[in-house]
Amino acid sequence: MGSSLPNELVAVMERMDRRVLPKWGKLGFDSRRGKVLPDADEHAFQMLLEHDQVDPHPRTGRMFALLDCIPLGSEKGASWFVHGSELVRIADDAELAGPLATGLVTLKTTKQMPTTTAPFERYRRVAWLIELLANDSDVDAARLKRALANADLPPASSFAATPRAPSSELLYWLLRSLILSEDALFKKVLAVASKSKAPVLRSAITMVTASANPRLAWSCALDDLRALVRRLGPKSVSAPPKKLKSGDALAEDAFERLLAELKKAGRRTKAGRTRALLEESYGQTLPKDLGALVDAYATLKVDSAKVWGWKIAVELPGDDFESWVEAQQGEPETSSLCFVQHFANLVLVGHATDGDLFYAYVDPNDKAHSEVWWYDHEQGAVYGPPEADSLATLSLLSELAHSASKAPDEERLEPVLQQLVGKTPMRGHFREIVASVGRGINFEKKYEPKTPAARYFGRAKWVMNLLRDGYFDPAAIKKALKAEKDRKLPSPQAIHFAPEALYWLSRSFWLNKDAELQALIKLAKKSRLPIVRSAALTFDALQSGRRELGTLQDVHEVRRDLLGSLGKVP
């Protein structure tokens, strides 16, 4: 408060019963001038509560503190207050009983005096708190329950007050965050409210910070009030505060829920050999999360299952090189669906709602997690950064996106999103979560990809085009070759890793590096990977004179045209 009252109201106040006004003078209200004056009393808030404990018309102290309503007097069954430039009447029997239109009446004192709905709106918001700070030794549970049910609680994230905000507004947020155990919000409000000069607010700060369990009502300390709210309030305010788990723990919980949903849909008694076949194709044990997803998926009788908008599907890449190439040749020109598997070491794990795909990287350096990459079906490419650092994080993102699309709950979702910083760049298919909830969270700059899937895919793009339909772009190929960090043949161990082995076999053939190709073919025939051994046989036959490769009728003619357009190549 602190502003002068209209002269018309001052005149009305002087004619009304002012039996209670002297009491409020101690708190800074000067009835003679209609102004709230500064007051240095450090016990102002306690005085308000004590007044309510003995006054025949309780609530006046709490109304003064929480609603900017200055008490004028009382009559049978009601109390009168000044709110801004209008008089308001609070009926005792309708204080917390329901719709406030029946309990709060605005009285115009002159024709020119405006009437607003502010008292109605603010009273509805703070009524539960006014009732909670009760005047007797036993809080009326029924009245408090009705007040909580009718409460119009804004989300915690909507707090945006400044030290210039009304002290009643700051006091409301201070008490609300304290009682509802909104610790982060309480610290934020306390920092702002501490700069206020309002005596009631300053004394309230002293009270709530002087003890870990301050006594805010006649016989109820803070812990008692918290228990009452949890017991009587609706779910939106009654859940006991929980310490938020780490991002890893939250993601793992979501992944377990996703696996449970898959297993519910499962009908096969035996999962089959899907995991074993994948491990044979990629030449290594699948990371733990990918293995668990594959096992759950393998129990399905159908080809896919949709959980939270994520259409889960796992696909075996194929181990015969020529069949693999022919399968890709049958796809649209912009597609790389088959090639992306072995050329980038990725396993298909599902489809997004817009037709794009999710691939999990089979990381030889991480036995626990598979980083998830996004394949753009329109561009036929794997783009970075990845979608998530693991399948567990992808599960949580899918669940959050599903929840946000059904019933956005910013207050609940934002703390969870904060825990995911560093685990996802929050791009691609989950941007809508950031747009609707986590606008102030910087995900992208704090995420570092840990696997090179996009680099492998980008490097091999030109050989994929040649294998698919003989297409080549000389300028793009020169740029790709120039960008290669290491033009040396891979080590003998790399022949057991498909992205390296297949790229260098293809590169050596199309650039007609015969000596390199022969050395690679010799190594590749001993690879642990079926796809690499098969590719070695195919390139050996092609280099020896065979012309056809699937729908390509003459690979040697394509190669001559390519080399003629490139000129000198590395």
Side-chain angles (χ1 to χ4, degrees):
M1 288 176 271
S3 58
S4 297
L5 299 174
N7 291 332
E8 296 93 331
L9 280 181
V10 174
V12 170
M13 290 161 57
E14 290 176 347
R15 292 195 300 270
M16 291 184 66
D17 176 8
R18 293 184 292 153
R19 287 174 296 170
V20 299
L21 287 181
K23 301 176 183 178
W24 302 99
K26 297 179 181 179
L27 300 174
F29 177 68
D30 186 338
S31 62
R32 293 167 298 175
R33 291 186 291 170
K35 181 182 291 188
V36 177
L37 303 175
D39 194 304
D41 193 333
E42 62 181 2
H43 302 294
F45 184 62
Q46 291 93 317
M47 290 176 64
L48 292 176
L49 296 181
E50 289 170 4
H51 172 273
D52 283 359
Q53 292 160 8
V54 297
D55 192 90
H57 294 282
R59 302 179 316 281
T60 49
R62 289 163 285 164
M63 292 287 291
F64 175 83
L66 290 166
L67 268 180
D68 283 340
C69 285
I70 301 172
L72 293 179
S74 59
E75 60 181 351
K76 186 177 181 180
S79 300
W80 291 90
F81 297 86
V82 176
H83 182 278
S85 59
E86 52 191 0
L87 287 172
V88 293
R89 177 180 179 272
I90 307 295
D92 291 348
D93 59 356
E95 180 190 9
L96 299 167
L100 298 175
T102 62
L104 188 62
V105 179
T106 301
L107 177 68
K108 295 183 181 180
T109 56
T110 70
K111 292 182 179 180
Q112 293 77 28
M113 193 169 293
T115 301
T116 70
T117 60
F120 292 89
E121 296 169 353
R122 297 194 65 181
Y123 186 78
R124 182 181 177 188
R125 188 175 70 173
V126 305
W128 70 276
L129 192 52
I130 290 174
E131 179 63 23
L132 193 63
L133 302 176
N135 67 303
D136 53 26
S137 59
D138 185 17
V139 174
D140 189 320
R143 284 159 63 96
L144 176 58
K145 189 170 185 177
R146 286 197 299 270
L148 284 166
N150 291 328
D152 186 14
L153 294 178
S157 58
S158 66
F159 172 75
T162 68
R164 297 179 63 86
S167 60
S168 60
E169 182 74 2
L170 291 171
L171 181 61
Y172 164 75
W173 284 103
L174 185 76
L175 295 175
R176 166 230 163 103
S177 60
L178 182 69
I179 292 169
L180 298 186
S181 301
E182 298 167 326
D183 296 337
L185 176 62
F186 177 75
K187 292 178 182 178
K188 184 177 179 181
V189 178
L190 186 62
V192 176
S194 297
K195 300 175 183 178
S196 173
K197 296 181 179 180
V200 172
L201 182 58
R202 294 185 67 83
S203 66
I205 292 173
T206 301
M207 173 185 280
V208 300
T209 57
S211 166
N213 190 27
R215 189 168 297 280
L216 299 179
W218 182 264
S219 64
C220 291
L222 174 61
D223 289 346
D224 302 318
L225 299 182
R226 285 174 170 171
L228 273 172
V229 172
R230 289 198 297 268
R231 179 166 60 88
L232 300 174
K235 290 183 179 180
S236 60
V237 297
S238 61
K242 295 181 180 179
K243 184 178 180 181
L244 197 61
K245 295 182 178 180
S246 68
D248 289 338
L250 290 169
E252 290 297 334
D253 289 347
F255 189 48
E256 289 300 321
R257 290 191 291 273
L258 179 135
L259 294 178
E261 290 296 319
L262 272 182
K263 290 173 183 176
K264 279 184 192 176
R267 293 293 182 271
R268 295 178 186 168
T269 55
K270 294 183 179 180
R273 297 187 62 245
T274 307
R275 185 204 283 238
L277 291 172
L278 282 170
E279 291 180 342
E280 183 180 352
S281 290
Y282 289 88
Q284 66 180 77
T285 302
L286 297 182
K288 183 179 178 181
D289 60 350
L290 181 55
L293 182 69
V294 169
D295 287 345
Y297 169 79
T299 65
L300 299 175
K301 279 189 174 181
V302 292
D303 292 334
S304 63
K306 194 171 184 180
V307 181
W308 307 323
W310 172 9
K311 184 180 179 182
I312 299 169
V314 177
E315 187 175 281
L316 295 172
D319 293 330
D320 181 79
F321 182 76
E322 291 190 39
S323 298
W324 184 58
V325 171
E326 289 175 12
Q328 184 62 70
Q329 290 172 341
E331 293 286 334
E333 289 185 6
T334 58
S335 172
S336 303
L337 285 176
C338 298
F339 284 156
V340 72
Q341 297 163 317
H342 284 311
F343 271 116
N345 215 44
L346 295 169
V347 174
L348 175 69
V349 292
H351 305 256
T353 53
D354 61 357
D356 289 344
L357 292 91
F358 296 131
Y359 282 88
Y361 186 82
V362 186
D363 192 347
N365 301 313
D366 190 339
K367 304 300 182 184
H369 304 107
S370 300
E371 193 166 43
V372 181
W373 290 82
W374 162 45
Y375 175 88
D376 187 326
H377 75 288
E378 293 181 349
Q379 301 298 322
V382 173
Y383 290 121
E387 283 282 358
D389 67 344
S390 67
L391 287 166
T393 299
L394 181 67
S395 300
L396 181 55
L397 288 171
S398 299
E399 187 177 32
L400 292 176
H402 181 72
S403 298
S405 67
K406 297 292 183 183
D409 185 347
E410 185 172 339
E411 190 171 359
R412 182 182 68 85
L413 291 179
E414 188 171 0
V416 177
L417 291 176
Q418 289 282 4
Q419 298 295 93
L420 293 181
V421 173
K423 296 180 67 60
T424 174
M426 199 63 77
R427 294 187 66 193
H429 303 280
F430 302 106
R431 286 181 185 272
E432 66 271 16
I433 305 180
V434 178
S436 62
V437 178
R439 290 178 290 274
I441 306 174
N442 189 341
F443 289 96
E444 195 166 338
K445 288 186 178 180
K446 296 185 179 181
Y447 186 82
E448 293 291 336
K450 62 180 182 179
T451 59
R455 180 170 64 82
Y456 285 145
F457 182 88
R459 180 184 68 172
K461 185 67 176 176
W462 68 275
V463 298
M464 295 182 204
N465 290 337
L466 285 163
L467 289 169
R468 183 181 61 234
D469 55 15
Y471 169 80
F472 58 86
D473 179 345
I477 294 175
K478 287 180 180 180
K479 184 177 180 180
L481 293 174
K482 188 176 181 180
E484 288 179 349
K485 293 182 179 180
D486 190 354
R487 297 192 181 98
K488 297 179 181 179
L489 291 177
S491 65
Q493 290 74 26
I495 214 69
H496 304 298
F497 186 58
E500 291 287 357
L502 295 180
Y503 173 72
W504 282 97
L505 282 167
S506 302
R507 181 190 192 277
S508 299
F509 172 78
W510 289 112
L511 297 182
N512 202 18
K513 304 282 186 178
D514 186 65
E516 289 182 7
L517 182 59
Q518 295 302 330
L520 285 168
I521 288 173
K522 184 177 180 180
L523 288 171
K525 287 180 178 180
K526 300 177 182 179
S527 174
R528 293 193 300 266
L529 306 183
I531 189 70
V532 174
R533 296 196 301 269
S534 176
L537 295 175
T538 298
F539 283 116
D540 192 9
L542 292 173
Q543 189 70 358
S544 298
R546 199 184 97 188
R547 295 182 178 277
E548 301 87 2
L549 178 60
T551 59
L552 291 177
Q553 297 300 308
D554 192 337
V555 295
H556 295 280
E557 182 181 354
V558 173
R559 184 167 66 177
R560 283 194 300 271
D561 292 342
L562 168 68
L563 294 175
S565 66
L566 290 178
K568 186 178 180 180
V569 295

